[in-house]
Amino acid sequence: VTHSPVVEIRAGKCNMGEVQANGKHQITPDPRKGRLSLSKESDGLMHFKWTNGVSNTVEDDRIVFPGEYTFKKVKTGRTAEPADRVYMLKYGSG
């Protein structure tokens, strides 16, 4: 049983590719539309999910614990375009 999300937003996602010569990963946008949600499930745990907006299928589901993940804005390497809205859910510190 899924409970109502604590928060839910429309969001696409990106895919992480190979490490480049500069030590950074190549990130490419996934053209599909979807939504991110954070909800407390029947297992009592908080789940961070990405759901495909067309099929309504949960494709990514991560159990998150306080202090274990960070959610932060990513510098895209482009010129300072205001439309750049890329964020990353990162496991661990650093």
Side-chain angles (χ1 to χ4, degrees):
V1 173
T2 300
H3 294 83
S4 296
V6 174
V7 65
E8 183 174 75
I9 59 171
R10 291 186 322 214
K13 69 177 187 173
C14 293
N15 298 305
M16 186 168 58
E18 298 290 322
V19 176
Q20 300 174 325
N22 64 4
K24 296 183 179 184
H25 288 274
Q26 175 68 37
I27 305 298
T28 55
D30 186 320
R32 299 174 298 161
K33 295 182 179 187
R35 61 187 184 278
L36 281 177
S37 63
L38 182 65
S39 58
K40 189 168 189 177
E41 302 291 321
S42 58
D43 58 10
L45 302 172
M46 293 298 286
H47 289 250
F48 186 91
K49 299 179 185 179
W50 187 82
T51 303
N52 182 306
V54 174
S55 67
N56 204 35
T57 303
V58 174
E59 293 188 12
D60 296 303
D61 184 356
R62 305 282 184 262
I63 296 172
V64 294
F65 296 99
E68 204 170 70
Y69 286 86
T70 56
F71 188 67
K72 65 181 187 175
K73 187 167 179 63
V74 175
K75 294 179 184 176
T76 61
R78 298 187 201 177
T79 57
E81 294 182 34
D84 285 350
R85 297 173 297 190
V86 179
Y87 291 81
M88 172 177 53
L89 179 67
K90 185 174 181 179
Y91 179 75
S93 61

